[in-house]
Amino acid sequence: MNVERAVQILRAGGVVAFPTETVYGLGGDATNPAAIARIFAAKGRPATNPLIVHVADIYAARRYATEWPETAQKLAEKFWPGPLTLVLPKSPAIVSGVTAGLHAVGLRVPQHPMALALLAAFDGPVAAPSANRSNRISPTTAQHVKDELGNAIDGVLDGGPCGVGIESTVLDLSTGTPALLRPGGVSREDIEAVIGPVTLGGAADARPAISPGQHPVHYAPLTPAWRVDDTARFASLLMRASSGAILLKTTDIGSVGVLPGVVFYLPAEPAAYAQQFYSTLRHLDAKGLANIYIELPPQDERWLAIRDRIVRATRALE
Ligand code: TXA
Ligand code: MG
């Protein structure tokens, strides 16, 4: 499928998956209630969880926000196109289902040539959650989307593997103090360097007002998945691990010795780790293992978004 066909589908009220720099999104016309209903249905997503609206540039974003504070302008100039979603008072052009009835809308300009080509050609706002079933692992390749949503959608644009690999940062600018609702591709430090202090909100999709009753485990594999917050504990688990368990680790365990096929190493650098995290988890999940254990990376601002995703994908090992 190509961009031209994808635009036709969007115009006709259909839903089409497309690549962004973070993860693949499932797009529909944000001004068309029927298209929005199809997105929620395809994902099995609760109607209480709002969707991010994607636009081609700052000018388009300003059209769909009724207020555009100086902080929004500065952040957009600095980080768009890029993995930052700004939550701002919503224009009536965006149908209320998109924001789950909230008065504010999340807006973002993604940094992917195919996404930008689609948005420019469609010339309208595209609502797009991650293109996975609700509460499952976000897709970072077109094949992931086909495997999971297949016939439930009208097509997939293939733009190769996503470069960032985890979702955008969600920043609420609709109230007095800027609040980080979801850590992501742009760090809090980077944002604070532009607009000053940012408070840490709860994760957006954990806020009861937005999505009551949602399970705390999100982005989760089907295999029982556990997080391990202690290196010594992790090493002892490793000694006992059989082929029924897989461990995801950032750095080399060295002297402990490694059982082949049991330990998967991800890079000990946050950006590279993020890029591989979901696809590795998806790969391991398909193996039909007894357990997946994941070592939590250091408690450090640079790993904040990854720790957040690991915590949502796992239960703590007691
Ligand atoms: O990187 C991304 O953001 C990807 C790509 C496709 O752009 N999209 C994505 O969408 O991750 P989704 O629906 O999986 O996650 C959207 C997050 C949720 O946590 C949602 O609650 C929050 O953004 N959100 C969206 N609109 C909001 C709003 N108006 N107010 C507060 N939170 C909002
Ligand atoms: Mg998602």
Side-chain angles (χ1 to χ4, degrees), residues 187 202 231 233 271 273 288 309 311:
S187 75
T231 310
R233 184 77 192 283
Y273 186 111
R309 301 312 187 274
V311 165

Short mmCIF file of all heavy atoms in Angstrom, two decimals, residues 187 202 231 233 271 273 288 309 311:
data_model
loop_
_atom_site.label_atom_id
_atom_site.label_comp_id
_atom_site.label_asym_id
_atom_site.label_seq_id
_atom_site.Cartn_x
_atom_site.Cartn_y
_atom_site.Cartn_z
N SER A 187 13.05 13.70 26.91
CA SER A 187 13.18 13.60 28.37
C SER A 187 12.66 14.85 29.08
O SER A 187 12.57 15.93 28.50
CB SER A 187 14.64 13.37 28.77
OG SER A 187 15.36 14.57 28.62
N GLY A 202 0.77 11.56 37.17
CA GLY A 202 0.67 10.11 37.03
C GLY A 202 0.74 9.82 35.54
O GLY A 202 0.56 10.71 34.72
N THR A 231 20.41 -6.60 41.17
CA THR A 231 21.33 -7.33 40.30
C THR A 231 21.71 -8.69 40.88
O THR A 231 21.80 -9.68 40.15
CB THR A 231 22.61 -6.49 40.07
OG1 THR A 231 22.18 -5.19 39.66
CG2 THR A 231 23.47 -7.09 38.98
N ARG A 233 19.94 -10.57 42.88
CA ARG A 233 18.76 -11.41 42.69
C ARG A 233 18.68 -11.91 41.26
O ARG A 233 18.38 -13.08 41.00
CB ARG A 233 17.53 -10.56 43.04
CG ARG A 233 16.22 -11.27 42.99
CD ARG A 233 16.06 -12.14 44.23
NE ARG A 233 14.95 -13.07 44.12
CZ ARG A 233 13.67 -12.72 44.27
NH1 ARG A 233 13.35 -11.48 44.56
NH2 ARG A 233 12.72 -13.62 44.16
N ALA A 271 18.67 4.94 24.55
CA ALA A 271 18.04 5.08 23.23
C ALA A 271 18.08 3.75 22.47
O ALA A 271 17.10 3.35 21.84
CB ALA A 271 18.73 6.18 22.43
N TYR A 273 18.41 0.74 23.79
CA TYR A 273 17.55 -0.21 24.52
C TYR A 273 16.09 -0.02 24.08
O TYR A 273 15.39 -0.97 23.74
CB TYR A 273 17.71 0.00 26.03
CG TYR A 273 16.99 -1.01 26.91
CD1 TYR A 273 17.71 -1.93 27.67
CD2 TYR A 273 15.60 -1.03 27.01
CE1 TYR A 273 17.07 -2.85 28.50
CE2 TYR A 273 14.95 -1.94 27.83
CZ TYR A 273 15.68 -2.84 28.57
OH TYR A 273 15.03 -3.74 29.38
N GLY A 288 6.42 -19.07 23.70
CA GLY A 288 5.67 -19.95 24.58
C GLY A 288 6.45 -20.35 25.83
O GLY A 288 6.40 -21.50 26.27
N ARG A 309 7.85 1.70 31.05
CA ARG A 309 7.30 0.66 30.18
C ARG A 309 7.51 -0.73 30.78
O ARG A 309 6.64 -1.60 30.68
CB ARG A 309 7.91 0.70 28.78
CG ARG A 309 7.71 2.00 28.03
CD ARG A 309 6.31 2.53 28.03
NE ARG A 309 6.17 3.68 27.15
CZ ARG A 309 6.42 4.94 27.50
NH1 ARG A 309 6.81 5.23 28.73
NH2 ARG A 309 6.29 5.92 26.63
N VAL A 311 7.74 -1.44 33.97
CA VAL A 311 6.83 -1.58 35.11
C VAL A 311 5.42 -1.92 34.62
O VAL A 311 4.73 -2.76 35.20
CB VAL A 311 6.84 -0.29 35.97
CG1 VAL A 311 5.67 -0.26 36.94
CG2 VAL A 311 8.17 -0.20 36.73
#
